[in-house]
Amino acid sequence: MTSITSTTKLCALIGDPVEHSLSPVMHNAAFQSLGLNYVYLCLRVRSAELKRAVDGVESLGILGFNVTIPHKVSVMTYLDEIDPIAKDIGAVNTVVNRDERLVGYNTDSLGGLRALSGAGVTLTGKKVVLLGAGGAARALSFSIAPLAGLLVILNRTEAKAVALASNLRRRFDKKIRGGPLTQDALFTEMADADVLINSTSVGMHPKREECVVDEDLLHSRMTVFDAVYNPLETRLLREAKSVGAKTVDGLSMLVHQGALAFKIWTGVTPPIDVMTRAVEAAVEG
Ligand code: ATR
């Protein structure tokens, strides 16, 4: 076990609240398994303190940090450089302190795609139905849009789905449409869907028995990916399994976004299996 010394490098999570985060368990397990002298801590930072906290990252020589609610958008103002994908998405979840320049990335986007490809699911030419149009949906949509044959975004607030779809069409010149998240729309769109992704918060603890889609619309020809990871098996995933659909859970996206951040900070590709076991133990424990 690597011990904390005078040369230990610090990575952190900045958000409010942060105390339920699985990121410390996940990153510290990977640092330990690789024998890297790094430590990852959660730092609660209130919105009014965000600028001072980010300035502090530079002056304290913190190697890098993740950003979570409510700072993913506002942090962008205080960075020296933003990766073009994160700029398009309009949110940053990972920052590296590179030669005293703070560079922001969005690893949620590619993390979702890696979760799917890690489970053997390819999106090229496929019909993808994405539920939600919030921060998670936006991040996911920017990695899905260039690949999918057709991307349909359905959201409770229809205007947000329509706006996201038109934003993506301008960027990617692909078949992308937005609509309302109604049972009618789901009925129309699900029959020939190859991949269904839930990026709404429906089904998240404590409302575990809520499900955004009726079970009879799910079918065995589709992959169902739920970005919710608490509980690990949401009602949506349970019902998808019961109709014979392939399933991908939200923990896998959490691990892959974390692995991408880890690589940005350290230059080293972390062990996905170690990170997965650490977060599974934390969720189940
Ligand atoms: P995140 O950053 O996790 O994506 P968010 O930006 O607040 O969080 O987005 C939450 C998403 O879940 C939104 O798409 C939201 O729909 P609205 O845009 O209409 O608010 C969706 N959502 C939350 N509760 C929902 C519910 N009960 N039914 C359907 N969609 C819901």
Side-chain angles (χ1 to χ4, degrees):
M1 176 144 165
T2 332
S3 43
I4 294 174
T5 66
S6 58
T7 56
T8 301
K9 294 190 177 70
L10 177 61
C11 295
L13 172 67
I14 289 182
D16 184 17
V18 289
E19 55 269 20
H20 301 296
S21 172
L22 295 171
S23 293
V25 161
M26 174 168 78
H27 285 291
N28 289 321
F31 291 146
Q32 292 288 338
S33 88
L34 294 171
L36 293 176
N37 193 8
Y38 292 73
V39 66
Y40 186 106
L41 297 175
C42 281
L43 306 175
R44 180 183 176 206
V45 173
R46 295 210 168 82
S47 293
E49 291 297 320
L50 182 63
K51 183 181 185 316
R52 274 152 51 93
V54 175
D55 287 346
V57 166
E58 278 182 305
S59 44
L60 295 170
I62 293 174
L63 184 72
F65 61 98
N66 282 131
V67 190
T68 190
I69 290 167
H71 307 317
K72 283 189 180 189
V73 176
S74 47
V75 75
M76 296 172 84
T77 322
Y78 309 122
L79 305 179
D80 299 305
E81 195 180 323
I82 296 168
D83 173 69
I85 306 284
K87 210 178 266 177
D88 278 347
I89 294 167
V92 156
N93 78 323
T94 300
V95 178
V96 62
N97 183 2
R98 200 175 278 145
D99 305 323
E100 292 178 26
R101 282 178 62 75
L102 297 184
V103 187
Y105 295 86
N106 189 310
T107 68
D108 289 330
S109 187
L110 192 54
L113 202 60
R114 291 262 172 101
L116 283 164
S117 59
V121 182
T122 52
L123 297 183
T124 313
K126 302 276 176 66
K127 176 174 179 181
V128 179
V129 176
L130 176 64
L131 309 181
R138 242 189 115 66
L140 284 166
S141 70
F142 273 83
S143 60
I144 296 166
L147 298 174
L150 169 62
L151 172 59
V152 179
I153 303 168
L154 304 177
N155 192 48
R156 178 177 63 180
T157 309
E158 183 182 3
K160 280 166 69 180
V162 170
L164 177 55
S166 78
N167 188 333
L168 289 163
R169 275 197 306 273
R170 277 198 299 279
R171 176 78 167 75
F172 295 110
D173 188 27
K174 301 275 293 196
K175 274 168 46 182
I176 302 165
R177 59 171 184 259
L181 178 46
T182 57
Q183 288 307 314
D184 274 0
L186 286 168
F187 182 79
T188 309
E189 300 295 354
M190 296 268 288
D192 61 348
D194 298 298
V195 180
L196 172 74
I197 303 177
N198 175 42
S199 66
T200 74
S201 47
V202 179
M204 194 183 285
H205 177 80
K207 297 183 176 171
R208 292 164 173 248
E209 278 314 302
E210 289 187 352
C211 189
V212 73
V213 178
D214 280 351
E215 186 175 2
D216 52 9
L217 296 179
L218 302 169
H219 53 78
S220 62
R221 302 175 306 284
M222 62 171 35
T223 295
V224 178
F225 169 29
D226 199 338
V228 171
Y229 59 79
N230 182 12
L232 201 51
E233 186 179 76
T234 58
R235 179 170 163 193
L236 174 63
L237 291 185
R238 194 171 71 234
E239 292 180 350
K241 268 181 202 160
S242 79
V243 302
K246 187 177 186 116
T247 59
V248 179
D249 65 43
L251 213 57
S252 155
M253 176 170 164
L254 177 81
V255 168
H256 281 282
Q257 68 73 30
L260 289 159
F262 189 104
K263 176 83 196 277
I264 288 169
W265 297 324
T266 65
V268 178
T269 302
I272 296 289
D273 54 337
V274 169
M275 295 170 91
T276 304
R277 278 200 300 274
V279 286
E280 278 177 357
V283 166
E284 284 157 6

